[in-house]
Amino acid sequence: QGTLDKYVGDMVMCFWGAPLPQKNHAILACQCALKQMEELRILNEGWPPERRINIGIGINSGIMTVGNMGSPGRMNYTIMGDNVNLGSRLEGTNKEYGTNIIISEYTYGLVKDQVIVRELDNIRVKGKNKPVLIYELIDVKGGLDPATDSDV
């Protein structure tokens, strides 16, 4: 129920809540992240040890700019802004903590009653002066099947 925005090198960027608003965008992102990890575990079991891969996922929620951006010669429907950058920084932070999925305090505030997390740290990411509290996403209490807006 999200939008697959782009591939950048070995990264995939997705977002929820646009083009149509979704009240449950944060939990959908969390479910998607956990489902990706579940599928990766299955794939890795079928590959020799030297071919197995590990990934990091960063999730942040907040006001972002979404729409057709670019020029008449090259335009993409995409998302941008400080909150997008924070999600990207969280993805890279997984390496430092030995985790796979990190969510920001902003996402946690939207899903705290629906997820199981481990508080990690209060970090200051590049380009920001204010620290942000981060959590490792461990599980979703309702399972990995996407809830609909009526379920929320």
Side-chain angles (χ1 to χ4, degrees):
Q1 296 180 24
T3 299
L4 174 55
D5 185 1
K6 64 179 66 112
Y7 300 96
V8 181
D10 64 352
M11 180 196 79
V12 176
M13 188 166 100
C14 305
F15 58 87
W16 285 258
L20 299 174
Q22 292 169 298
K23 292 178 185 173
N24 61 343
H25 57 85
I27 196 67
L28 288 171
C30 291
Q31 288 171 316
C32 181
L34 288 163
K35 185 68 175 170
Q36 287 178 72
M37 294 309 304
E38 183 179 276
E39 292 298 322
L40 181 59
R41 274 190 289 280
I42 293 166
L43 287 170
N44 276 336
E45 286 173 5
W47 294 336
E50 66 275 7
R51 296 280 187 164
R52 294 178 183 165
I53 60 172
N54 191 27
I55 65 170
I57 299 171
I59 302 174
N60 185 42
S61 301
I63 302 296
M64 302 172 199
T65 302
V66 64
N68 290 319
M69 300 186 201
S71 66
R74 183 174 174 97
M75 187 169 297
N76 289 319
Y77 182 77
T78 191
I79 192 165
M80 61 175 39
D82 281 345
N83 284 311
V84 178
N85 294 337
L86 177 55
S88 178
R89 300 280 186 214
L90 296 180
E91 179 273 326
T93 302
N94 279 291
K95 291 176 187 167
E96 296 175 39
Y97 290 91
T99 55
N100 292 107
I101 307 169
I102 294 179
I103 66 173
S104 71
E105 64 183 89
Y106 310 112
T107 297
Y108 179 69
L110 297 171
V111 298
K112 63 184 172 194
D113 296 330
Q114 303 169 69
V115 296
I116 298 168
V117 299
R118 177 174 65 110
E119 186 175 316
L120 291 175
D121 206 347
N122 204 11
I123 64 168
R124 187 172 297 139
V125 297
K126 183 178 176 183
K128 290 294 190 189
N129 292 326
K130 183 182 175 205
V132 61
L133 190 55
I134 60 171
Y135 301 85
E136 177 185 17
L137 177 64
I138 297 181
D139 203 357
V140 172
K141 293 177 183 176
L144 300 185
D145 291 329
T148 62
D149 278 340
S150 61
D151 293 338
V152 179

